[in-house]
Each structure stands twice: as C-alpha cells, then as structure tokens.
Amino acid sequence: MKIGIVLYPTYGGSGVMATELGKKLASKGYEIHFITYSQPVRLGGLTKNVYYHEVAVSDYPLFDYAPYETVLASKMVEVVKRENLDILHVHYAIPHASAAFMAQQILVSDNIDIPFVTTLHGTDITLVGRDPSFEPVITFCLNQSNAVTAVSESLKMDTYLHFSTKREIHVIPNFVRQQESRFNNLEEVRSNYANDDEPILCHISNFRKVKRVGDVLRMFALVNAKVPSKLLLVGDGPDRYDLEELCSEINLCERVIFVGKVRDTKHVLAISDLFILPSETESFGLAALEAMAMGVPVISSNTGGIPEVNIHGKTGFMSDVGDVDDMSKNALHILEDQERKKVFKKNALEQSQKFDVDTIVSKYESLYRDLI
Ligand code: GMT
C-alpha cells in the first residue's frame, strides 16, 4: 500500500504522531510519502520506504498571506499521480483536510479516485477550529473526508459539540513505542542537573497559553519549599520570556532549567521523577504518555482527554485546571515516599503499554484497507 501523509513538521504532538505512524508503517513494508513544508523533526535520517515531498510556497509581493493550502493541494495531486498513491492521511484539520478535499476533486477529473482520512488532534477542533471563521470549512471537510479519526473519546465528543456533523468518528488514540534499551551513564547526566537527593520535575510543551506553564512554576515553588527539587522545562514558545520573568519574581532561577527544544525527549524523561501537565485543554496529552512509557508518573489537570491516559491515584494524579495547591500536594505525596513512588512508576509504565505502537497502528491499517 502506498500512503501519503500530510502533517505539520514541527515539534507539536500531531506532527510527532504522524511521523511516528509513517515510520512504523514504513518498517512494516508500506511505502510512505510525507508531504509537508520541511523535514518532520522526528523523521531522522534515511529510512527505507520513506519519501519526503516538500511543499514550497513562493513569496510573491502581491500576497500578504502565502497561499499554502493551494500549493499543498497541488503537491498532493502531483504526488498521488506520480507515485500512484492508494490513500491520503491528513493530520490536523486546518488546512490539511480542505487541501485534501480539493486534491481529491482535481484527481476525479483525471479519473483517479483516492480516499482521504482526516485525523483530528485537538486544537484544530477545541481552539483554532472553534473560531467562527473556520467553522463552515471544517464542518464541510469533516463530512467529505472518507474517514475521520480523533485521538480520544473526549475529542470525538468535542467535535460533535462544536460542529454540526453526525458523521462517524473513529477514536484511534495516540501511541508510544516502548523503550527496550536502558541508557548509559544516566547517573552522570542526572548529576549535571540535580543532587542525588533532589527530585527532578519535568514539563515538555510548546509554551503556549493553553499549556499553563506558569502553573508548572507555581506548583513547583510549593513542592520545592518542602522538598528541594529541580525543574526541567523542555520546549520553547510564545510564553518563554514571561516564564523567565516569573522564575526570577518567585526566586526560582537557580532551581529551574530551561532546556530548550529537544528532538528526542526520552533522555530528559529518563532522569525525571515526575512529569507535570497542567493544560487548560488537552485532547490527549501525548507528552504525558511518552513520560509514562519511561516510567515517569504524571501530575496533570483533569481536562479533555487526559483522564483517558493518566489514571488518578494510580499512574499519577489529576487536579482541576489552575489548582496548583492540589497539584503540589499530589506531587509531594509521590515524592516523599520512595516505595510509593516505585508503585506509581510501575503503574505508569504498565498503563503506557495499552497505547503500544503495534496495537494502535494496526487500527489505522485496517481503516486504510476498508477505505481502499
Ligand atoms: O499541544 C499542542 O499545542 C500541539 C497539538 C498539535 O496539534 O500538535 O497537540 C494536540 O495533538 C496532540 C497529538 O494528538 C495531542 O496529544 C495534544 O493533546 C493536542 N493538544 C491539545 O489538545 C492542546
């Protein structure tokens, strides 16, 4: 089967998922064609059965806004024809689903009939997509896609709530590759960041408002006051400068390390004791699942799809959005008892196995087969 995958190539969860899906399918012998505007961050080096087609939008003085969607649709048409693709799978509705619909219609005029799958990831429905300026196009594309998938039950419900569509939405959750290998010189790496008796808390995101990274700092201040700890903030984004300011306002500069963008986060997770995800909304929380797959318990908010991933009192704890007191109490509850921490770590790892790459990817494979 030859599959075209359209995605955002950046550090966001939707791009990571789409890239990992393509890599896994390629390893199973499918021919994968990534179509996007730059090399996906998780793609890595040369991979058998993987091809990359760049969408290059030229700058013309007439355009205040470059017509990416149009160029993407043309690229899809070109790649489908040249590579004889069997199916297109677009990740994130805006503008990938409408570009796919346009490509599909153009191909019909060439007597080529190709189905497309739209996978909803979250903000395309819960934040950006809800903006009335997008609504009619998203609703239309949801109805026109040959199949629609969502990464959690919660996102499926949000879609029905915000868009007037009755079409079937298949829930195919995000997945994670279990880590077989242990890492060398972990203790040495850890000692670069914290003393042996200092727990390491970690947060990974794109530092956007929706992630509430300020809450990570505020809950960390409460934890650190009781148990001296370190906080690793991984990623970058619009809130970075405000966070640096907040850090110095609450006198935490010595204890908080801004790590920056990291391509492969498992090394950071391997030295972390807790993962913190206090988001305002989160359709799934891939970063939390990746932490759990490294045996790191999760302190999170209880919003959106997070309860489908983080099990309260077992793999970590959940609190209401903004309740940093409760988050810090929960963090201390785990950190202050080594035996308890071990149980949470084990539970987190076990829970992550429910989202194993093989199980989940086979769901996409059968969906593709049904459509073709
Ligand atoms: O979290 C983000 O802001 C990035 C965003 C994306 O589209 O890349 O993530 C969304 O998709 C991820 C992969 O399916 C989910 O794990 C995230 O929960 C979801 N983000 C939100 O809903 C805020």
Side-chain angles (χ1 to χ4, degrees):
M1 199 189 296
K2 297 181 177 188
I3 305 160
I5 296 185
V6 178
L7 70 157
Y8 282 108
T10 49
Y11 281 84
S14 67
V16 166
M17 258 307 90
T19 310
E20 294 292 349
L21 172 64
K23 278 160 60 176
K24 181 65 192 179
L25 290 167
S27 76
K28 295 180 92 172
Y30 296 96
E31 197 175 294
I32 302 300
H33 293 264
F34 286 109
I35 306 172
T36 182
Y37 58 82
S38 71
Q39 281 275 343
V41 284
R42 282 268 183 107
L43 193 51
L46 296 172
T47 313
K48 195 175 165 212
N49 296 330
V50 169
Y51 301 86
Y52 164 64
H53 307 274
E54 188 153 309
V55 181
V57 187
S58 47
D59 207 7
Y60 186 67
L62 176 70
F63 302 137
D64 275 342
Y65 304 99
Y68 178 69
E69 187 177 343
T70 311
V71 184
L72 173 63
S74 295
K75 194 62 164 183
M76 283 195 243
V77 170
E78 177 200 317
V79 177
V80 169
K81 280 181 170 174
R82 195 181 58 234
E83 307 290 347
N84 268 317
L85 299 191
D86 298 301
I87 191 161
L88 286 165
H89 186 175
V90 303
H91 292 261
Y92 209 89
I94 309 165
H96 298 161
S98 39
F101 174 72
M102 196 193 291
Q104 189 183 54
Q105 294 306 300
I106 294 169
L107 287 160
V108 166
S109 64
D110 280 329
N111 292 318
I112 296 170
D113 185 11
I114 184 165
F116 76 95
V117 179
T118 299
T119 289
L120 308 173
H121 280 273
T123 47
D124 44 356
I125 294 299
T126 55
L127 282 183
V128 191
R130 277 174 69 184
D131 186 319
S133 54
F134 288 114
E135 192 279 323
V137 174
I138 296 186
T139 305
F140 179 79
C141 291
L142 290 174
N143 292 331
Q144 295 299 322
S145 302
N146 298 88
V148 176
T149 76
V151 297
S152 63
E153 289 292 341
S154 153
L155 183 57
K156 174 178 168 174
M157 291 309 149
D158 277 338
T159 310
Y160 288 135
L161 193 67
H162 300 305
F163 295 90
S164 51
T165 181
K166 289 197 170 63
R167 69 147 314 133
E168 184 184 8
I169 297 177
H170 308 263
V171 174
I172 304 185
N174 287 333
F175 56 84
V176 71
R177 223 170 340 126
Q178 299 298 321
Q179 306 296 333
E180 311 86 13
S181 59
R182 294 288 105 208
F183 301 102
N184 296 328
N185 60 14
L186 258 194
E187 322 248 281
E188 195 187 320
V189 176
R190 194 184 192 285
S191 68
N192 293 333
Y193 295 100
N195 297 331
D196 284 356
D197 57 346
E198 287 174 331
I200 296 183
L201 282 71
C202 164
H203 169 80
I204 304 174
S205 79
N206 49 27
F207 292 18
R208 298 207 182 114
K209 216 174 154 47
V210 65
K211 301 292 173 182
R212 299 184 66 99
V213 192
D215 283 359
V216 178
L217 287 175
R218 284 182 275 270
M219 72 78 76
F220 174 72
L222 298 170
V223 171
N224 181 58
K226 291 246 164 89
V227 175
S229 317
K230 288 288 172 66
L231 173 65
L232 300 183
L233 288 179
V234 181
D236 207 349
D239 285 358
R240 163 85 183 263
Y241 294 109
D242 289 349
L243 293 165
E244 283 174 347
E245 248 172 52
L246 179 59
C247 243
S248 57
E249 264 169 41
I250 54 181
N251 279 323
L252 278 179
C253 297
E254 301 275 294
R255 303 240 138 227
V256 179
I257 300 136
F258 285 84
V259 180
K261 286 184 180 171
V262 172
R263 191 182 291 261
D264 188 347
T265 52
K266 61 178 178 290
H267 295 95
V268 182
L269 293 167
I271 60 165
S272 299
D273 297 282
L274 283 183
F275 185 78
I276 318 299
L277 190 68
S279 309
E280 182 86 34
T281 78
E282 199 68 67
S283 68
F284 183 89
L286 178 61
L289 177 62
E290 292 191 329
M292 287 159 62
M294 293 296 297
V296 183
V298 173
I299 299 296
S300 68
S301 54
N302 53 13
T303 182
I306 296 180
E308 296 170 47
V309 183
N310 186 20
I311 311 299
H312 186 73
K314 199 169 172 217
T315 62
F317 286 100
M318 293 185 294
S319 310
D320 291 341
V321 172
D323 193 346
V324 292
D325 283 338
D326 195 51
M327 289 178 199
S328 68
K329 275 183 207 142
N330 291 334
L332 287 163
H333 181 71
I334 297 178
L335 293 176
E336 283 177 336
D337 182 328
Q338 290 310 309
E339 283 312 305
R340 189 182 293 141
K341 191 172 100 181
K342 272 190 203 150
V343 175
F344 273 86
K345 284 174 75 66
K346 183 170 156 286
N347 292 344
L349 187 63
E350 270 172 22
Q351 165 74 353
S352 75
Q353 285 157 1
K354 292 191 189 147
F355 300 90
D356 180 61
V357 60
D358 291 312
T359 319
I360 309 293
V361 168
S362 66
K363 294 180 196 285
Y364 283 116
E365 286 176 76
S366 47
L367 183 65
Y368 297 158
R369 262 186 244 112
D370 288 351
L371 293 176
I372 295 170

